[in-house]
Amino acid sequence: DAARAAVREAKEVCEDGDCADKVREAIARAKGKRVEDVTKLDEKGMLKKAARAATVEDARACKQARVANSSASCNSLYEQFLQSSGRERPTSKEEEATDRRTVTLEVVRTSIADSLRECYTGPRDERSDCLAQASKFRNETLDFVMKEGGIRDPMKREAKKKQAERKARVETLGDIFRACMLEANATREDCKAQLTDIKNSTGLSDSSNDILDGYFSFSLLTEPAGSCNETEMKDCRANARQRCLESGMKRRRLVVMQKLA
C-alpha cells in the first residue's frame, strides 16, 4: 500500500544509520497523520512489512534471472531482508537458522496476502477467477522462496504453503475490515456486511467472527513480538491494544484475545 511504498522509499534515500525520523515522516504523509501521531508500532511494523515486500520483489527478480540463466547468482533473500528491515542478525547459528525459516514463511505469506488483497477488493464478479489466476501465478515464486530459505522437501513446502494461505487470508480480510472501521461514519455492521460480501463472492466458509477473532489475536496482538525490541515492547503492545479497540473490538473481548495471543 501507499504507506509501505513510502517507507521503502524513505529507507532507500536516507543515509546509513538511524532512519527512524524519515520513516515516521513517510508513514505520516501516506496515512494523512501528524508525525507525532505515528506510533512506535506504526513505525516498526511498517518497516518490517516494507522489508518483506521488498524481499518478495527481489525473489521474483532472482527467479526470472535464473530462468534466463540457470547459473545466475542472486544475493541471499535473508540477507536482503535483514538489511532492509534494519534487524540485527541472531547471535548463534541455531537462532539464525530458525530466524531464516521464520522470515521465509513471512515473505511467503506477504506474497499471498498481496494477491489476495488485489482480488478481494476488485470487481465482485471477477474475484473467484482472480484468486485462481493469482494462485497459479505465485506458486512457482513461493516454491523458489522456500527452497532458498532451506525448505527443500516438496511435501513440507506444500504444507507450509497451505498454512501461509490460511494466515494470509485472515490477515487480509482483517486488514480490509479494519480499514473500513477507520473510515469516517463507518459502522461495525457496514464493515461486517462488506466482509460477508467478500466471503460470499469467493466461496469462503469461515464465519466472520472466526476471521476477526483470528485477525485480532494472531495478527494485531502478536505484531509487537515480531516487530519491536524489548525496550519498545511496552509501547508497542499498548499500540496494538488501541488498534483492536479502534477496529471495533469490545474491551472484554480484548482481555480474552490477549490471553490467546
Side-chain angles (χ1 to χ4, degrees):
D1 59 15
R4 197 165 67 180
V7 167
R8 287 173 56 191
E9 183 178 346
K11 282 284 292 180
E12 289 171 0
V13 300
C14 78
E15 298 178 358
D16 291 341
D18 188 3
C19 297
D21 288 343
K22 290 188 180 298
V23 168
R24 292 171 72 84
E25 289 170 4
I27 294 171
R29 285 196 303 272
K31 290 186 172 292
K33 289 184 173 183
R34 299 180 302 171
V35 173
E36 54 266 34
D37 292 333
V38 175
T39 68
K40 177 58 68 175
L41 186 57
D42 286 336
E43 174 196 336
K44 304 296 287 191
M46 193 58 68
L47 191 59
K48 186 177 180 181
K49 288 178 181 177
R52 291 201 304 249
T55 306
V56 170
E57 291 185 8
D58 291 337
R60 288 178 183 145
C62 182
K63 179 182 176 299
Q64 290 173 354
R66 296 270 177 85
V67 169
N69 179 2
S70 60
S71 61
S73 61
C74 306
N75 293 327
S76 163
L77 298 179
Y78 178 65
E79 297 294 337
Q80 289 174 295
F81 174 84
L82 290 180
Q83 182 177 0
S84 298
S85 65
R87 199 161 84 183
E88 294 184 3
R89 181 187 301 278
T91 54
S92 73
K93 290 184 177 180
E94 292 78 9
E95 289 175 339
E96 181 175 327
T98 299
D99 190 50
R100 185 184 296 271
R101 286 191 295 272
T102 299
V103 168
T104 296
L105 296 177
E106 287 177 348
V107 170
V108 166
R109 191 172 76 244
T110 296
S111 177
I112 296 171
D114 285 347
S115 61
L116 291 180
R117 185 174 294 105
E118 183 176 347
C119 294
Y120 288 157
T121 57
R124 190 181 196 279
D125 60 351
E126 297 177 8
R127 287 173 187 163
S128 292
D129 287 342
C130 178
L131 290 171
Q133 292 172 11
S135 178
K136 182 178 180 181
F137 173 77
R138 68 177 178 248
N139 270 342
E140 289 186 2
T141 299
L142 298 186
D143 280 337
F144 175 79
V145 170
M146 285 191 278
K147 286 178 184 177
E148 291 291 301
I151 305 174
R152 304 291 182 182
D153 185 282
M155 293 183 66
K156 287 184 178 180
R157 287 203 303 272
E158 193 60 32
K160 295 292 186 184
K161 195 186 305 180
K162 289 181 179 179
Q163 184 181 47
E165 286 173 350
R166 288 194 296 271
K167 290 182 177 180
R169 184 166 59 247
V170 168
E171 179 181 325
T172 304
L173 290 170
D175 282 344
I176 292 172
F177 178 84
R178 172 171 161 75
C180 175
M181 288 293 295
L182 293 178
E183 292 179 1
N185 302 317
T187 67
R188 183 178 178 83
E189 290 71 25
D190 290 339
C191 297
K192 286 194 78 170
Q194 180 189 36
L195 182 57
T196 299
D197 178 68
I198 294 173
K199 286 170 61 251
N200 291 343
S201 63
T202 56
L204 291 179
S205 59
D206 311 61
S207 74
S208 296
N209 286 337
D210 285 346
I211 290 170
L212 293 178
D213 281 351
Y215 176 64
F216 291 135
S217 58
F218 300 116
S219 185
L220 287 189
L221 288 174
T222 59
E223 185 175 0
S227 303
C228 306
N229 61 37
E230 290 183 6
T231 60
E232 301 161 338
M233 193 59 67
K234 183 177 179 180
D235 287 341
C236 287
R237 284 178 174 156
N239 297 156
R241 291 193 294 270
Q242 185 58 36
R243 284 186 180 183
C244 289
L245 295 173
E246 290 172 348
S247 302
M249 177 181 274
K250 303 294 184 182
R251 288 187 179 275
R252 284 182 296 179
R253 189 62 176 162
L254 174 58
V255 173
V256 175
M257 291 293 102
Q258 283 181 283
K259 292 178 180 178
L260 290 176

